[in-house]
Amino acid sequence: MLQKKLNIKAVICISELVPKIKVDAIKALGAKVAIVGKNQEEATYNALQMEKEEGMRYISAFDDPLIIAGQATTALEILEQNPNTTTILAPVSGGGLMSGVAFAAKALKPDIQIIGVTNNSEPAIYSSIKAGKIVQVGETESLADALPGPISHNNQYTFKMCERYVDDILLISEEQIAQAMAFSLLKEKQVLEGGGAATMALLLKDEYVQNFGENTVAICSGNSVAMDTLLKITSTHKKFINQNF
């Protein structure tokens, strides 16, 4: 967008795990794409090298005050539209959305419950909070490609903010993610990528719903999924969805 509207050079460094549909979307906005490394950390290292060698400014996808502030407006909209909200569920990866939402929501309503949701494969923020320090995780291929992957030891904001303001982070499986994507399309007529369906996956489990209460808001953020992939997932899980919901 910067390159297209302001004629500012933008290079987005991503790993080999990022699906083609997202790569194409980035290119369509006018940015250049550098596909480097097998995980987010290797792509980040490449971006930092470009900053040194080419005089560009590095902007983290999540660990940046302005990114966090922008994400925080989601909580402002939620509480403006429904002041009685008691629980907000949000997907969590590097923590930009999660920390922004948690900070803003708690500032306006200190007793609100903030729950993060991530997949159970290499959950960086979850593992780090459990350990009380940033721990390194790997990054594996997932339907929720936006969720797994490491956060840097140099993390300045999101780890501490999530540790302070998020009440709990719950894990979901690949199977639950697939079911939520199918449910969203079949029952809600919504196209959601794996990361965007993470909170929906949690709501499909009765034991969690009972704890959250009626005024629960689930942030379903992201619809960048190839239609052939989504239709295949939906076809596989259609019988289960129709029988149970």
Side-chain angles (χ1 to χ4, degrees), residues 106-120:
K106 292 281 188 179
L108 294 174
K109 195 171 183 178
D111 61 340
I112 197 168
Q113 183 178 212
I114 306 296
I115 305 294
V117 188
T118 192
N119 59 348
N120 57 13

Side-chain angles (χ1 to χ4, degrees), residues 44-129:
T44 299
Y45 176 79
N46 182 71
L48 291 170
Q49 288 299 111
M50 291 182 66
E51 180 181 41
K52 292 179 181 179
E53 296 170 4
E54 300 184 28
M56 301 178 72
R57 179 186 174 188
Y58 169 72
I59 301 176
S60 170
F62 51 87
D63 193 37
D64 181 279
L66 297 181
I67 297 292
I68 294 169
Q71 305 277 31
T73 61
T74 307
L76 303 183
E77 290 184 34
I78 289 170
L79 292 176
E80 181 180 353
Q81 294 178 33
N82 185 3
N84 294 322
T85 299
T86 56
T87 303
I88 296 178
L89 311 178
V92 55
S93 176
L97 173 65
M98 185 79 267
S99 55
V101 166
F103 176 79
K106 292 281 188 179
L108 294 174
K109 195 171 183 178
D111 61 340
I112 197 168
Q113 183 178 212
I114 306 296
I115 305 294
V117 188
T118 192
N119 59 348
N120 57 13
S121 175
E122 311 292 358
I125 290 286
Y126 172 88
S127 299
S128 297
I129 289 177

